[in-house]
Amino acid sequence: MATIKDVSRLANVSISTVSRVINKSLKVSPDKVEAVMKAMEDLNFQPNSFAQALVNKKSNCIGVLVGDLCGGPFFAQMMRGIENVILPANKFVIVMSGKHEHDREKNSIEALLLRRCDALVVHSKALSDQELIEIARSDVPIVFVNRLVPTLEDRCVWVDISSGMETAVNHLIKQGHKRIAYIASDEVNNQDAKDRMDGYHRALNNAGIEFDNDLVSLAFPDENGGHNAIESLLMRDVGFTAFVAYNDAMAVGAVSALTENNISVPEEVSAIGFDNNLITNYIKPKLTTVRYPIEEVGETAAKLALNVLYAREREEYEERKEKETNKSYEKKFDLHEVVEFTREDLKFIPDLIVRDSVAPYDEAVVRESKVKKQKKK
Amino acid sequence: MATIKDVSRLANVSISTVSRVINKSLKVSPDKVEAVMKAMEDLNFQPNSFAQALVNKKSNCIGVLVGDLCGGPFFAQMMRGIENVILPANKFVIVMSGKHEHDREKNSIEALLLRRCDALVVHSKALSDQELIEIARSDVPIVFVNRLVPTLEDRCVWVDISSGMETAVNHLIKQGHKRIAYIASDEVNNQDAKDRMDGYHRALNNAGIEFDNDLVSLAFPDENGGHNAIESLLMRDVGFTAFVAYNDAMAVGAVSALTENNISVPEEVSAIGFDNNLITNYIKPKLTTVRYPIEEVGETAAKLALNVLYAREREEYEERKEKETNKSYEKKFDLHEVVEFTREDLKFIPDLIVRDSVAPYDEAVVRESKVKKQKKK
DNA sequence: CTGTTAGCGCATTCAT
DNA sequence: ATGAATGCGCTAACAG
């Protein structure tokens, strides 16, 4: 590996001159520039990123903590969003996965910090608000994803889950439905579950529809759970013309349970899932669902992280400018525009993916419907 | 950020002593060790990884080039396999995505090399064998995934796709099927397509079943393609009791086309997909399919990369040992066991995931079957 | 066992 | 505009 020294020798200049042409930090006479360029070319010179990092005190790396890249497409999409922003900014991405385990998340963040990442994008589920606040005191800018940490709201990019659920229920209401069941997760204390339930309540409220606890059916949040939840709903004989589900897996199970009971979707019962899993597009009928704008979340988080970083660089620049004799620090600092993010910019509302599993409320159909009379076989 | 110097001052020792306790490279008297430890604790000292990397000429990072983390679960699973190996080895993972674009793949590899990664795991689709061979001449160990590069076979971890297809067809043959259709991709020149077709041929051959070109139906490799392929097969009126598909999406489309034609799966027609997509488990009947052992591939690739690295470190060690006065280099080099990989270790055979879409061949059913008489409506 | 010293490759200041 | 010299934080050779 050729070094700056080799280049300087070949180009018959000092290493400082070489450094100058690399960084375009100061004027160098055209002929020397050319000589240096040629030498770099000939030697296939690449600056040693560690030496640069050591002296510049920055690594040009953005650290990302994810849950598990394999836990569905979620993190993969987030990563894509992050990359979309980081790579054009000429920085690298280092990923670590915390698997939602407390110690692993903690260690990973420490490791990322140790690597002197310029900024961190963190998706933490296992660490407490207090711990995150502690971590955020670090010198390096940290941004949190999918979480709203108190006192750090301007560092949090999150998705308003409850609004997503509200949108789904509203959609059904607009189609004329009033008896809207909720196929819910039985992990009731989970924040996600609470948020969704909130959304469900709010939509009903706003439409002046009274909440009926009989329409809520709890089960484990997977396909079987959805299946069972519908069975239990049918047994209750409560009558409903539509449902929203906690997630797509439950919705799929619910639809298949309805089909088995000869209840057609969407003719007799409209269905809406949540998450926009791939499956939703493959089953019949294609499932209307609610989509997290995950990629956008990733992009925004990355942008925010970059901006906090840029802002700090500016601060540091101003500081030095005051204290020292006015030098051309702009060049060294390579100052970037910093844009302001409002609370609204950092908050995402899931959108409805309209497919085939919702039909308008139809009095005639309901009269004939098997839903009410159906008993579990 | 505290430095080694701060620690040495606080502990009243020299920086070398501190360095020694950090790296456990030489014996240090217990009392000093304790003092240093305490000082490190107090100052919350973390060695600067760049300074270390600069002087050690290694980064403790493994670079990974993937296609696109979002292109399905493929790369995510591969990453998990890689992480399973790299993290316990106390190294980091840097990922870049090449998106299967020639220039992007090339740039990403260069960037990874520039970062002085200790080793690279590369999944390249867009670069030519020649380019990969060129790249592999680099000082840093490079391992290729899902590709068999000529002359670099011992650096390639790959999946024997054609054997996977063979297994699938064999499974059907063992169930007594003889008229086995192949729902194939129309991208016939694609290497993947060729491999699968090979497997199909081989299985038939070994079972003494004559290849019938009428049983092969080409279409675009997605759900609709599978749908159309079945339609076209039915129009041909050739008669078949089972099919294998190029991928799961096609299989799903094919199954839905059969259902629409009142042909039941698996009673009248057995079906096998390929890839083990999540969907396969969600449709009715659950789809028997062929699974790439992607995670294992990732693990093996990572292990191989690590081993090549360890082997080089050993070489370098031996070299220095000869030339120089016998010092305790083992400590610096921290030599690792290097295990041999045989060709077989690097080659993976996909396995069959048996689900509900395959039934034994049944003469009686076939007599009644609508398959032969069916025409496109 | 331990402290002193000399780089690793680069950016930057200080002279010129 | 340019070269010489200094130091970033650390490891390792050298000399006690």
Side-chain angles (χ1 to χ4, degrees):
Chain A
M1 273 286 94
T3 76
I4 200 176
K5 217 167 174 176
D6 303 320
V7 176
S8 75
R9 206 176 302 131
L10 189 65
N12 259 317
V13 296
S14 71
I15 57 169
S16 345
T17 303
V18 177
S19 175
R20 279 166 196 140
V21 340
I22 294 173
N23 302 298
K24 309 184 207 316
S25 51
L26 277 179
K27 273 261 163 297
V28 175
S29 68
D31 49 330
K32 306 228 169 198
V33 172
E34 200 180 340
V36 169
M37 293 295 242
K38 182 166 172 3
M40 295 205 302
E41 190 83 8
D42 289 354
L43 293 166
N44 198 337
F45 168 80
Q46 306 278 156
N48 181 315
S49 53
F50 297 133
Q52 286 182 317
L54 180 59
V55 59
N56 291 328
K57 293 167 186 326
K58 54 185 273 190
S59 64
N60 274 319
C61 283
I62 303 295
V64 178
L65 175 71
V66 300
D68 183 348
L69 281 171
C70 298
F74 186 93
F75 289 109
Q77 280 174 248
M78 190 177 99
M79 282 302 301
R80 175 193 273 181
I82 292 176
E83 278 196 341
N84 285 347
V85 172
I86 299 302
L87 298 185
N90 262 314
K91 292 186 183 291
F92 286 74
V93 178
I94 298 187
V95 212
M96 303 210 55
S97 30
K99 313 250 176 189
H100 303 308
E101 293 161 23
H102 180 277
D103 290 358
R104 219 176 133 164
E105 286 192 357
K106 194 150 194 173
N107 288 339
S108 300
I109 293 179
E110 270 171 18
L112 255 12
L113 253 17
L114 188 66
R115 278 275 162 214
R116 300 287 197 280
C117 288
D118 295 348
L120 256 48
V121 174
V122 170
H123 181 288
S124 167
K125 271 216 132 94
L127 298 184
S128 68
D129 284 343
Q130 205 44 55
E131 286 172 300
L132 294 182
I133 292 172
E134 184 57 36
I135 287 168
R137 310 171 76 92
S138 142
D139 285 334
V140 342
I142 300 188
V143 164
F144 300 101
V145 172
N146 253 26
R147 181 149 178 176
L148 197 56
V149 184
T151 77
L152 291 175
E153 289 84 356
D154 55 339
R155 294 294 168 72
C156 295
V157 180
W158 60 291
V159 177
D160 187 345
I161 304 278
S162 85
S163 288
M165 185 52 87
E166 194 179 349
T167 307
V169 177
N170 276 341
H171 181 64
L172 292 171
I173 293 174
K174 261 184 274 169
Q175 300 290 319
H177 295 279
K178 292 203 168 57
R179 299 288 294 168
I180 301 171
Y182 178 30
I183 308 296
S185 163
D186 57 4
E187 298 165 347
V188 215
N189 289 319
N190 180 312
Q191 185 61 43
D192 271 7
K194 283 185 194 160
D195 288 344
R196 283 166 216 218
M197 185 61 98
D198 279 355
Y200 175 70
H201 274 124
R202 214 161 52 228
L204 294 182
N205 247 331
N206 291 343
I209 300 176
E210 201 178 344
F211 170 74
D212 178 355
N213 199 44
D214 280 349
L215 285 173
V216 176
S217 187
L218 301 177
F220 189 80
D222 69 359
E223 216 202 3
N224 280 332
H227 195 279
N228 299 341
I230 282 290
E231 293 285 2
S232 122
L233 220 44
L234 291 177
M235 297 249 311
R236 288 183 210 165
D237 204 18
V238 289
F240 59 95
T241 65
F243 74 82
V244 288
Y246 174 78
N247 62 20
D248 286 329
M250 289 191 93
V252 168
V255 168
S256 80
L258 288 171
T259 310
E260 285 170 20
N261 282 284
N262 285 314
I263 297 168
S264 57
V265 177
E267 290 77 8
E268 289 174 77
V269 171
S270 290
I272 299 190
F274 208 102
D275 282 355
N276 190 29
N277 271 0
L278 256 187
I279 345 160
T280 53
N281 216 358
Y282 283 114
I283 67 163
K284 304 246 144 126
K286 293 189 177 184
L287 195 65
T288 293
T289 185
V290 176
R291 165 189 161 268
Y292 283 44
I294 314 176
E295 192 167 333
E296 292 92 321
V297 168
E299 281 185 8
T300 304
K303 280 184 196 156
L304 178 60
L306 241 35
N307 263 280
V308 178
L309 177 64
Y310 291 159
R312 297 216 179 159
E313 286 177 354
R314 274 205 124 83
E315 274 175 34
E316 200 180 329
Y317 162 67
E318 299 293 346
E319 228 169 71
R320 292 189 55 168
K321 198 164 148 192
E322 265 185 35
K323 286 209 296 235
E324 307 182 21
T325 60
N326 217 325
K327 289 282 161 65
S328 51
Y329 284 127
E330 287 93 357
K331 281 153 200 162
K332 140 124 199 212
F333 276 94
D334 192 21
L335 294 180
H336 294 264
E337 227 28 72
V338 4
V339 302
E340 290 290 326
F341 283 82
T342 69
R343 284 288 163 82
E344 288 310 303
D345 294 334
L346 303 183
K347 171 177 154 184
F348 285 81
I349 314 273
D351 39 285
L352 197 71
I353 308 285
V354 177
R355 297 214 183 88
D356 310 330
S357 65
V358 173
Y361 174 81
D362 184 336
E363 186 68 41
V365 171
V366 172
R367 254 195 307 273
E368 296 302 311
S369 171
K370 285 143 279 169
V371 172
K372 255 180 159 163
K373 307 157 214 159
Q374 185 74 32
K375 292 284 177 190
K376 191 168 163 55
K377 327 161 253 201
Chain B
M1 266 298 83
T3 76
I4 200 176
K5 217 167 173 178
D6 302 322
V7 176
S8 75
R9 205 176 304 133
L10 189 64
N12 261 316
V13 296
S14 72
I15 57 170
S16 352
T17 303
V18 177
S19 176
R20 278 166 198 138
V21 342
I22 294 173
N23 301 297
K24 310 184 205 317
S25 49
L26 277 179
K27 273 260 163 296
V28 176
S29 67
D31 51 332
K32 305 227 168 196
V33 173
E34 200 180 342
V36 170
M37 293 295 241
K38 179 164 174 4
M40 297 206 299
E41 191 81 8
D42 289 354
L43 293 166
N44 198 337
F45 168 80
Q46 306 279 153
N48 182 315
S49 54
F50 298 131
Q52 287 181 317
L54 180 58
V55 59
N56 291 330
K57 292 167 186 328
K58 53 184 274 191
S59 64
N60 274 318
C61 282
I62 303 296
V64 179
L65 176 71
V66 300
D68 184 347
L69 281 171
C70 298
F74 186 92
F75 289 109
Q77 280 174 248
M78 190 176 99
M79 282 302 301
R80 175 193 273 182
I82 293 176
E83 278 196 341
N84 286 347
V85 172
I86 299 302
L87 298 185
N90 262 314
K91 294 186 182 291
F92 286 75
V93 179
I94 298 188
V95 212
M96 302 209 57
S97 30
K99 313 249 178 194
H100 302 308
E101 293 161 24
H102 181 278
D103 290 359
R104 220 176 133 163
E105 285 191 358
K106 194 152 193 171
N107 288 340
S108 300
I109 293 179
E110 272 171 17
L112 255 12
L113 252 18
L114 187 66
R115 279 274 162 211
R116 301 283 197 284
C117 288
D118 295 348
L120 256 47
V121 174
V122 170
H123 181 288
S124 167
K125 271 217 133 93
L127 298 184
S128 68
D129 284 343
Q130 204 44 57
E131 286 172 301
L132 294 182
I133 291 172
E134 185 56 37
I135 288 169
R137 309 170 76 94
S138 143
D139 284 335
V140 343
I142 301 189
V143 165
F144 300 101
V145 172
N146 253 26
R147 184 151 175 173
L148 197 56
V149 184
T151 77
L152 291 175
E153 288 84 357
D154 56 339
R155 293 296 167 71
C156 295
V157 180
W158 60 291
V159 177
D160 186 345
I161 305 279
S162 85
S163 289
M165 185 54 86
E166 194 179 349
T167 306
V169 177
N170 277 340
H171 181 64
L172 292 171
I173 293 174
K174 261 183 275 169
Q175 300 290 319
H177 295 278
K178 293 204 167 57
R179 300 287 295 169
I180 301 172
Y182 178 30
I183 308 296
S185 164
D186 57 4
E187 298 166 346
V188 216
N189 289 318
N190 182 311
Q191 186 61 44
D192 271 6
K194 285 185 196 160
D195 287 343
R196 283 166 216 216
M197 185 62 98
D198 279 356
Y200 175 70
H201 274 125
R202 214 160 52 228
L204 294 183
N205 248 331
N206 290 343
I209 300 175
E210 201 178 346
F211 170 74
D212 178 354
N213 199 44
D214 280 349
L215 284 173
V216 176
S217 188
L218 301 177
F220 189 80
D222 68 359
E223 215 202 6
N224 281 330
H227 194 280
N228 299 341
I230 281 290
E231 293 284 2
S232 124
L233 219 44
L234 292 176
M235 297 248 312
R236 289 183 208 165
D237 205 17
V238 289
F240 58 96
T241 65
F243 74 82
V244 287
Y246 173 79
N247 63 20
D248 286 328
M250 290 191 94
V252 169
V255 168
S256 80
L258 288 171
T259 310
E260 284 169 20
N261 281 283
N262 286 313
I263 297 169
S264 57
V265 177
E267 291 76 8
E268 289 174 78
V269 172
S270 290
I272 300 190
F274 208 101
D275 283 355
N276 190 30
N277 271 359
L278 256 187
I279 344 161
T280 54
N281 215 358
Y282 282 116
I283 67 163
K284 303 251 138 114
K286 294 189 178 187
L287 196 64
T288 293
T289 185
V290 176
R291 165 189 163 270
Y292 283 43
I294 315 176
E295 192 167 333
E296 292 91 321
V297 168
E299 281 184 9
T300 303
K303 279 183 197 156
L304 178 60
L306 241 35
N307 262 280
V308 179
L309 178 64
Y310 291 159
R312 297 216 178 160
E313 287 177 353
R314 275 205 124 81
E315 275 175 35
E316 202 180 328
Y317 163 67
E318 299 294 345
E319 230 170 70
R320 292 189 55 169
K321 198 164 150 192
E322 264 185 36
K323 286 207 300 234
E324 306 182 21
T325 60
N326 218 325
K327 288 283 160 63
S328 51
Y329 285 128
E330 288 92 358
K331 281 152 197 163
K332 140 122 200 220
F333 276 93
D334 192 19
L335 293 183
H336 294 264
E337 226 30 72
V338 4
V339 302
E340 290 290 327
F341 283 83
T342 70
R343 285 285 164 84
E344 287 311 304
D345 294 334
L346 303 183
K347 172 176 154 186
F348 284 82
I349 313 273
D351 38 284
L352 196 70
I353 308 286
V354 176
R355 299 216 183 85
D356 311 329
S357 65
V358 173
Y361 174 81
D362 184 335
E363 187 67 40
V365 171
V366 172
R367 253 196 306 274
E368 296 302 311
S369 171
K370 285 143 280 171
V371 172
K372 256 180 162 165
K373 308 154 215 163
Q374 186 74 30
K375 293 284 176 189
K376 193 170 161 58
K377 326 161 248 200

